[in-house]
């Protein structure tokens, strides 16, 4: 996650690392202004990265929430998260 000075928005990208780089997996990245209900998100079968996704914290002291996950197909055919991270109330401007 980072601040894009040119776009004047907070940005998140989920980047593949290690042995998963170049392997097409279901990846998800989401970002939201803390306290809001809507997430800006990107999800799909990607080999390198998901995103970027953007949001704008509009007032001083407002924070953002971000999360990223990698999924695999479960025995029942659904998706289950096998790796992920979430950070809440970060980059409080």
């Amino acid at each position: 996650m980072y601040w894009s000075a040119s776009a004047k928005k907070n940005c998140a990208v989920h980047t593949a690392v290690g042995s998963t780089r170049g392997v097409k997996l279901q990846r998800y990245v989401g970002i939201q202004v803390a306290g809001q209900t809507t997430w800006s998100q990107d999800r799909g079968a990607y080999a390198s990265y998901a995103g970027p996704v953007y949001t704008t914290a509009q007032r001083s002291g407002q924070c953002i929430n971000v999360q990223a996950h990698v999924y695999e197909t479960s025995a029942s055919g659904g998706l289950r998260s096998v790796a992920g991270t979430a950070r809440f109330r970060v980059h409080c401007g």
Side-chain angles (χ1 to χ4, degrees), residues 5 8 19 21 47 61 66 85:
K8 299 200 182 325
S19 63
R21 184 152 185 80
V66 293
T85 187

Side-chain angles (χ1 to χ4, degrees), residues 48-72:
S48 298
Y49 64 90
V53 292
Y54 300 92
T55 193
T56 303
Q58 297 179 344
R59 65 180 192 274
S60 180
Q62 199 166 30
C63 305
I64 61 170
N65 301 326
V66 293
Q67 53 181 317
H69 298 277
V70 175
Y71 297 90
E72 71 178 13

Side-chain angles (χ1 to χ4, degrees), residues 4-64:
S4 171
S6 61
K8 299 200 182 325
K9 295 182 178 184
N10 295 289
C11 175
V13 177
H14 171 86
T15 305
V17 296
S19 63
T20 68
R21 184 152 185 80
V23 178
K24 192 176 272 191
L25 297 170
Q26 288 293 320
R27 301 178 192 279
Y28 167 85
V29 64
I31 189 170
Q32 80 175 160
V33 174
Q36 293 187 355
T37 57
T38 304
W39 287 83
S40 176
Q41 55 192 343
D42 184 30
R43 178 188 322 248
Y46 302 121
S48 298
Y49 64 90
V53 292
Y54 300 92
T55 193
T56 303
Q58 297 179 344
R59 65 180 192 274
S60 180
Q62 199 166 30
C63 305
I64 61 170

